[in-house]
Amino acid sequence: MSFSWTPHRFAGGALALDVVNSVVLRHDATRRIDRFSVRDQMRSFPRAAAEFCAERALFGDITPVARENETGFIALREAIDLYFRKRILNGGDDQLLASLLEALAKVLREASPGSVAAATAHSALRLIAMPDPQRMKICGNCGWLFIDRSKNRSRAWCDMAVCGNRAKAIRHYRRKKEETP
């Protein structure tokens, strides 16, 4: 299966969320795809982030994760996902926050400045301190995390062109099917 990093894959609105969203269909164990399980995809991510990520002006050009830091980077990704997904669904959790902060500290101690790991840690810290945490949501179609920057906070999809269109097409198909005798 061919794969390339496209603007849709950076729909999270923050580098930390785009890193979390590198796991496709996270909620479906049978169809789950971890884009970072392929080393070339993990190594090409920073170049794509510099082009497509909403926070690219904050971090500029970032370097790939050093091989010896990959395990810590993946642990950080999972801690970010776990904490923010729980915060969106049920409110904050001090134990998960402590785990996230430990993962952040480990990455910041070990990662080289200017690496995607360090930039992701800084992005996650910005999200923790986000003044309006209700703007962070889970896509109703794919389950990705994203920041709703719409004026009235009504965005339901990580990307209207992909997930929003799919959901609308499914609803349309179901309505037509119900109308058919």
Side-chain angles (χ1 to χ4, degrees):
M1 173 182 211
S2 94
F3 173 80
S4 63
W5 294 108
T6 61
H8 163 68
R9 304 205 186 273
F10 291 86
L15 180 63
L17 299 182
D18 295 332
V19 167
V20 165
N21 295 340
S22 66
V23 178
V24 181
L25 298 171
R26 184 180 286 272
H27 58 280
D28 184 345
T30 61
R31 299 183 329 169
R32 177 184 166 121
I33 300 168
D34 181 353
R35 295 292 180 201
F36 289 168
S37 67
V38 177
R39 191 156 204 296
D40 287 343
Q41 291 177 8
M42 186 189 299
R43 294 203 52 80
S44 64
F45 180 84
R47 191 172 42 254
E51 185 176 349
F52 302 125
C53 181
E55 291 182 325
R56 64 186 169 272
L58 293 175
F59 303 115
D61 288 337
I62 47 181
T63 60
V65 177
R67 187 179 291 272
E68 64 272 10
N69 295 335
E70 287 177 358
T71 302
F73 178 62
I74 296 302
L76 174 61
R77 177 187 70 180
E78 297 308 307
I80 293 168
D81 178 72
L82 197 58
Y83 173 72
F84 287 110
R85 196 169 294 276
K86 171 82 170 166
R87 187 170 95 173
I88 293 165
L89 295 172
N90 304 323
D93 180 304
D94 288 343
Q95 293 294 340
L96 291 177
L97 178 59
S99 295
L100 174 56
L101 292 172
E102 288 168 6
L104 287 165
K106 182 176 182 349
V107 164
L108 288 171
R109 273 190 224 98
E110 296 174 359
S112 58
S115 72
V116 68
T120 299
H122 286 280
S123 176
L125 287 168
R126 290 170 46 88
L127 291 174
I128 291 169
M130 190 173 163
D132 198 359
Q134 300 85 351
R135 288 198 177 267
M136 192 178 303
K137 297 183 178 180
I138 300 172
C139 179
N141 185 54
C142 69
W144 279 2
L145 301 179
F146 69 94
I147 299 172
D148 178 1
R149 298 192 195 283
S150 66
K151 191 173 184 176
N152 64 358
R153 301 176 192 191
S154 64
R155 191 169 145 199
W157 321 110
C158 65
D159 185 346
M160 187 59 203
V162 177
C163 288
N165 280 346
R166 285 182 186 149
K168 286 181 175 185
I170 289 168
R171 275 197 318 262
H172 174 74
Y173 172 79
R174 286 184 181 147
R175 272 196 311 270
K176 288 296 183 187
K177 191 174 179 180
E178 289 171 3
E179 291 173 7
T180 306

